[in-house]
Amino acid sequence: MKRTKLFIGLFFWITLLAIGQNKSFTLDEIWGGSFNTEGLQSLHSMNNGTEYSVLERNKIDGSTSVEVYDYASGKKVRTILNSQAIAGLSGFQDYSFNSDESLILLLTDSEKIYRHSKRGIYYLYDVASKKILKISDKKIQEPTLSPDGHKIAYVLDNNIYVINLQTGQEIQLTDDGKKNEVINGITDWVYEEEFAYVRAFDWNTDSNKLAFVRFDETEVPEFSMDVYGSNLYQQQTVFKYPKAGEKNSTVSLHLADLESMSVDKINLGDYKDFYIPRLSWTAKPNILSVQVLNRHQNNLDLVFVDAATKKSTVVLNEKDAAYIDITDDLTFLKDNSFIWTSEKDGYNHIYHYDASGKLINQITKGNWDVTSYYGYNDKTKKIYYQSVEEGSINRDIYAIALTGKDKLRLSKKEGSNTADFSADFTYYINYFSNTTTPSLITLNKSQNGEVVREIKNNKNLLDKLIQYDLRPKEFSTIEINGEQLNAWMIKPKNFDSSKKYPLLMYQYSGPGSQSVKNSWYTANDYWYMMLAQQGYIVACVDGRGTGFKGAKFKKVTQNDLGNLEVQDQIAAAKYFGNLPYVDANRIGIWGWSYGGFMSSNCLFKGGDTFKMAIAVAPVTSWRFYDTIYTERYLTTPQENASGYDKNSPINYVNGLKGNYLLVHGTADDNVHVQNTMRLIEALVQANKQFDWAIYPDKNHGIYGGNTRLHLYTKMTNFIKSNL
């Protein structure tokens, strides 16, 4: 087992372990937020690049304000608005500026819809005049100001509206929107969940045209779930959910010209059964970019639409034997050349193309992945990005010239570094952590990464943790099935290598995911430390199919989800079981969502290896999951029936020998409780005894009130009773 060296924070740990007390972690503390790190509110970098704004709430009267701070000093410069000074507005939950920061859009009465979507009451505040305008008396979605600040577009009841702020005129651009039938300008459930975007409309730079996507859901099958609530009768929620192999929404692209008052349907080409995962106007006001993806998601066209002629031209094509991930890294320069990220050389890298789609150069190169693209500074001709160049469990910030030369590592500490750049790229806020350092937030110069000032260091949390018997993660790489896999282990209190300890493994294992990373602890990590304090070893291994080690490693599970991943976890358990200090007869595994699918399969297929498993909100058959995610990795059930069935836990219940806990929320709109119900029926008919828990009206996250505390108490008791 090859050890990974962690230099940062070593002195801290030696000191902590030397003087630390023996206080144990408790579930009440963990889920009560006792060990939460202190962070920053979401901030907006002002156009001048030297200031940023944040939303602040007065804890006494509940009022909210938009405050402006100086980057370099951290001192408050001014207050842009305070809800106390606005009649009829007690507070607001979010805000956004228009392009010149003369107008502010304020959100109140926010109502969550699905994972990313919401609706609410919105107001428009004029900074100069201090006047405020209520956009609509009804709750609307995704209000977006035009670049010139003279118009605002939004969606109400699945139709798009535009208000001319100079004349007060409101225009309804579409009139065919209807729940569970037609959506204009807002994505449907599966697009929102799997392509991670909600607003499917965009203004051009001249503010006179609006492009939008129309979703016809008429033929998409409906899914319903009961919400029990507290009334005498439960309510039923019905929405369109396309399961693998079923009909998707029919999508079409439309272009509204607000000068000629016309709305035209755009012919993108000879596409059938396709997705439009992104659309955005280029730097040229008459050229719209649209990404068109086939249903198998292995062929992507970047299409330019000429708004004057309505002609569509494919300027870039990407093909992959497995699938293509959608990103938001497309950036247009002033000459309409563009920056793009791709895995076409085997790793995710940054490319520069001219306005016709001809490759100018590959900007980043190497056997490592670019993990985030932060932006392009037109003044200095530099690109800023995050990558795993210093090891796949770490993240670092880099600057590089558009030519691909003069690369500079800006971050200095080994661990996880993420960046938030100022509008003009003069500064960036660096968020750093590793397994010995909680979130350390600093202001840095973009020129060389030099720290200007420390913003937050979470020293109070470190001081608090001195009282506790911390159980640090030990990173390693282990050779499993011919691959070097990243792993971590947390050892018990007073660890004695001559003794035998029970082992609990955690994993997620989904395509492109990562559970072994050099960052500060989550609530789950404190739970693992609590278990270690009680005599358990806890370990985690990222097997084949996980991310940030190149496309080949990530995509090796294509068309066969749950096969190689399960093989790796069983092999890892056997590897750990051969260690002198692990009791091979007391190994358990747990996971959530994809991890629940995995832990179920590991127990059913590896009954001689695992004594117990916990599965929370698991997929039990990929036939029950949505089109976009599932078909990306398995194609359709009609094409790949064996890929769906041969690794379904439902088909392996006869292999259950150990102890099994199955958990689900009834209001899970993502992984439907149907998955658990069908598995339960299979277990019952196989006469297999197991434990299970159902959480009423809880979604995929299973939280709210004491829910997490109850769930983790149940899981802890199950582990202690069965491992």
Side-chain angles (χ1 to χ4, degrees):
M1 183 159 59
K2 183 180 178 182
R3 299 290 176 184
T4 301
K5 294 181 179 178
L6 289 178
F7 298 102
I8 305 302
L10 182 59
F11 176 77
F12 162 72
W13 277 111
I14 293 173
T15 304
L16 201 60
L17 294 174
I19 67 173
Q21 303 300 310
N22 293 318
K23 191 171 181 180
S24 297
F25 294 106
T26 67
L27 291 173
D28 290 276
E29 288 177 310
I30 293 169
W31 294 109
S34 294
F35 309 110
N36 291 349
T37 54
E38 187 179 1
L40 284 182
Q41 299 179 56
S42 178
L43 59 85
H44 164 80
S45 179
M46 305 298 285
N47 289 344
N48 58 28
T50 62
E51 298 173 336
Y52 63 88
S53 66
V54 294
L55 186 154
E56 294 185 357
R57 182 175 301 278
N58 187 310
K59 294 181 180 179
I60 298 175
D61 61 17
S63 63
T64 49
S65 60
V66 177
E67 308 289 351
V68 177
Y69 290 83
D70 178 75
Y71 267 113
S73 68
K75 295 180 179 179
K76 185 183 293 187
V77 178
R78 63 187 180 280
T79 299
I80 294 182
L81 73 91
N82 191 311
S83 63
Q84 281 186 323
I86 303 173
L89 188 66
S90 59
F92 48 91
Q93 292 147 325
D94 200 3
Y95 74 100
S96 60
F97 287 93
N98 68 331
S99 58
D100 67 1
E101 298 173 349
S102 61
L103 300 171
I104 306 177
L105 197 62
L106 305 175
L107 166 64
T108 67
D109 298 319
S110 179
E111 174 188 338
K112 185 178 176 65
I113 304 174
Y114 298 120
R115 187 187 295 266
H116 304 289
S117 55
K118 62 181 179 295
R119 61 174 65 91
I121 300 295
Y122 287 85
Y123 296 83
L124 193 61
Y125 178 79
D126 187 296
V127 176
S129 69
K130 295 182 170 47
K131 292 181 179 179
I132 192 165
L133 170 70
K134 191 177 187 180
I135 304 301
S136 173
D137 290 329
K138 297 180 179 180
K139 288 190 175 183
I140 61 176
Q141 289 183 263
E142 299 296 320
T144 305
L145 285 156
S146 60
D148 64 7
H150 295 161
K151 305 179 189 71
I152 188 167
Y154 64 88
V155 174
L156 171 63
D157 297 331
N158 291 5
N159 284 311
I160 303 176
Y161 294 77
V162 174
I163 298 176
N164 186 318
L165 298 173
Q166 293 180 312
T167 65
Q169 181 186 16
E170 183 177 68
I171 304 165
Q172 184 174 344
L173 292 181
T174 65
D175 59 9
D176 59 346
K178 187 177 181 181
K179 184 179 180 181
N180 288 338
E181 290 188 14
V182 173
I183 315 171
N184 293 288
I186 295 291
T187 57
D188 64 5
W189 185 95
V190 70
Y191 268 67
E192 175 180 338
E193 176 66 27
E194 305 301 354
F195 288 143
Y197 86 116
V198 176
R199 178 169 61 87
F201 67 84
D202 197 40
W203 287 102
N204 71 338
T205 56
D206 280 356
S207 304
N208 58 5
K209 293 180 177 64
L210 192 77
F212 66 92
V213 180
R214 178 182 183 270
F215 293 79
D216 185 342
E217 297 186 293
T218 306
E219 296 183 36
V220 179
E222 288 183 343
F223 178 79
S224 64
M225 61 185 184
D226 285 332
V227 178
Y228 297 96
S230 57
N231 295 326
L232 185 60
Y233 291 91
Q234 80 276 23
Q235 293 182 324
Q236 191 178 60
T237 297
V238 179
F239 59 98
K240 298 289 185 149
Y241 185 109
K243 293 179 185 280
E246 297 297 310
K247 177 72 175 176
N248 276 315
S249 290
T250 299
V251 292
S252 54
L253 177 69
H254 300 260
L255 184 60
D257 189 315
L258 298 178
E259 293 177 346
S260 64
M261 294 306 296
S262 61
V263 179
D264 295 308
K265 181 179 179 180
I266 303 299
N267 181 11
L268 289 169
D270 189 23
Y271 296 106
K272 296 179 181 179
D273 211 358
F274 63 97
Y275 299 110
I276 303 178
R278 295 290 186 273
L279 80 160
S280 62
W281 288 91
T282 70
K284 305 299 181 184
N286 274 336
I287 303 297
L288 172 72
S289 77
V290 184
Q291 296 181 40
V292 181
L293 187 67
N294 67 333
R295 181 154 180 167
H296 281 172
Q297 300 175 64
N298 58 7
N299 189 96
L300 175 68
D301 286 338
L302 178 62
V303 180
F304 280 5
V305 178
D306 188 314
T309 64
K310 311 300 187 293
K311 181 181 177 182
S312 300
T313 305
V314 177
V315 296
L316 181 67
N317 173 258
E318 290 264 351
K319 289 185 174 67
D320 193 285
Y323 60 89
I324 297 168
D325 283 318
I326 298 299
T327 73
D328 293 299
D329 297 339
L330 177 61
T331 301
F332 290 96
L333 280 57
K334 290 179 179 178
D335 61 0
N336 232 35
S337 66
F338 58 91
I339 294 167
W340 178 266
T341 54
S342 170
E343 290 182 320
K344 67 180 183 177
D345 79 344
Y347 293 87
N348 193 47
H349 282 298
I350 304 171
Y351 296 80
H352 185 202
Y353 292 87
D354 70 15
S356 68
K358 181 181 178 181
L359 179 64
I360 297 174
N361 69 304
Q362 181 175 343
I363 297 169
T364 60
K365 298 176 182 178
N367 295 336
W368 42 266
D369 287 317
V370 169
T371 45
S372 288
Y373 166 79
Y374 290 122
Y376 171 68
N377 185 346
D378 185 63
K379 184 177 180 180
T380 62
K381 311 300 180 188
K382 285 187 177 181
I383 287 171
Y384 298 93
Y385 68 93
Q386 179 200 63
S387 77
V388 294
E389 293 176 56
E390 297 298 318
S392 59
I393 67 171
N394 296 314
R395 300 288 186 276
D396 280 284
I397 313 301
Y398 288 84
I400 193 170
L402 186 62
T403 59
K405 298 179 180 180
D406 303 322
K407 183 170 71 173
L408 177 65
R409 180 186 175 195
L410 298 176
S411 50
K412 312 301 181 187
K413 298 176 182 292
E414 182 179 294
S416 295
N417 294 274
T418 60
D420 186 356
F421 283 83
S422 62
D424 67 350
F425 293 96
T426 298
Y427 300 109
Y428 69 93
I429 293 177
N430 193 90
Y431 299 83
F432 167 76
S433 79
N434 60 23
T435 55
T436 61
T437 312
S439 183
L440 174 63
I441 306 173
T442 57
L443 179 71
N444 300 60
K445 293 181 179 178
S446 298
Q447 182 181 7
N448 53 19
E450 178 185 331
V451 175
V452 177
R453 65 183 176 90
E454 187 177 273
I455 301 174
K456 291 184 183 294
N457 59 22
N458 280 285
K459 185 179 181 299
N460 290 338
L461 176 59
L462 286 177
D463 292 341
K464 182 177 184 176
L465 288 172
I466 290 176
Q467 307 171 54
Y468 289 81
D469 176 47
L470 283 162
R471 305 279 88 218
K473 285 181 179 177
E474 297 178 8
F475 288 99
S476 65
T477 56
I478 60 177
E479 186 171 347
I480 299 292
N481 293 321
E483 296 283 354
Q484 292 294 322
L485 304 183
N486 294 331
W488 57 252
M489 180 180 284
I490 297 176
K491 290 178 179 175
K493 179 180 178 180
N494 301 320
F495 175 73
D496 183 346
S497 61
S498 67
K499 293 182 179 180
K500 295 279 189 181
Y501 296 92
L503 170 71
L504 176 68
M505 293 174 60
Y506 164 73
Q507 48 64 61
Y508 177 76
S509 302
S513 65
Q514 186 178 53
S515 298
V516 182
K517 49 190 173 183
N518 188 10
S519 59
W520 186 248
Y521 303 118
T522 64
N524 273 355
D525 292 318
Y526 288 109
W527 181 50
Y528 301 144
M529 290 186 202
M530 187 194 83
L531 292 173
Q533 289 171 341
Q534 297 175 20
Y536 294 90
I537 292 176
V538 185
C540 179
V541 177
D542 277 338
R544 285 172 290 181
T546 56
F548 311 112
K549 299 178 78 172
K552 182 179 179 181
F553 185 86
K554 179 175 70 173
K555 297 176 180 180
V556 70
T557 61
Q558 188 70 7
N559 291 325
D560 200 20
L561 293 184
N563 179 18
L564 298 180
E565 306 100 298
V566 170
Q567 289 183 32
D568 286 351
Q569 295 300 319
I570 292 175
K574 290 179 178 178
Y575 169 86
F576 289 133
N578 287 326
L579 295 175
Y581 48 83
V582 172
D583 186 343
N585 295 315
R586 299 171 67 193
I587 298 177
I589 189 168
W590 93 281
W592 197 307
S593 194
Y594 197 105
F597 161 73
M598 285 289 298
S599 61
S600 301
N601 266 335
C602 285
L603 185 63
F604 299 168
K605 293 184 176 184
D608 295 330
T609 303
F610 293 101
K611 185 182 179 185
M612 58 133 288
I614 300 173
V616 182
V619 172
T620 62
S621 171
W622 290 109
R623 291 179 180 271
F624 302 148
Y625 204 55
D626 71 59
T627 50
I628 293 178
Y629 182 92
T630 313
E631 294 172 11
R632 181 185 302 152
Y633 309 118
L634 290 174
T635 67
T636 66
Q638 294 88 337
E639 298 167 293
N640 182 24
S642 64
Y644 280 78
D645 298 331
K646 72 178 182 179
N647 297 316
S648 166
I650 293 172
N651 296 327
Y652 293 91
V653 292
N654 286 322
L656 174 59
K657 296 179 182 179
N659 300 295
Y660 183 51
L661 173 60
L662 180 59
V663 179
H664 221 117
T666 65
D668 192 334
D669 64 293
N670 185 357
V671 180
H672 304 149
V673 73
Q674 172 192 27
N675 286 270
T676 282
M677 294 305 180
R678 290 288 287 270
L679 180 57
I680 287 172
E681 177 63 12
L683 288 163
V684 169
Q685 295 309 317
N687 196 28
K688 295 291 183 178
Q689 296 300 309
F690 63 99
D691 291 274
W692 59 298
I694 294 293
Y695 286 90
D697 297 343
K698 295 300 180 285
N699 64 15
H700 195 54
I702 311 182
Y703 60 87
N706 281 328
T707 306
R708 278 289 177 94
L709 177 60
H710 185 277
L711 170 58
Y712 276 79
T713 300
K714 177 173 287 294
M715 292 197 296
T716 302
N717 291 338
F718 185 81
I719 291 166
K720 293 169 73 172
S721 298
N722 296 291
L723 193 59

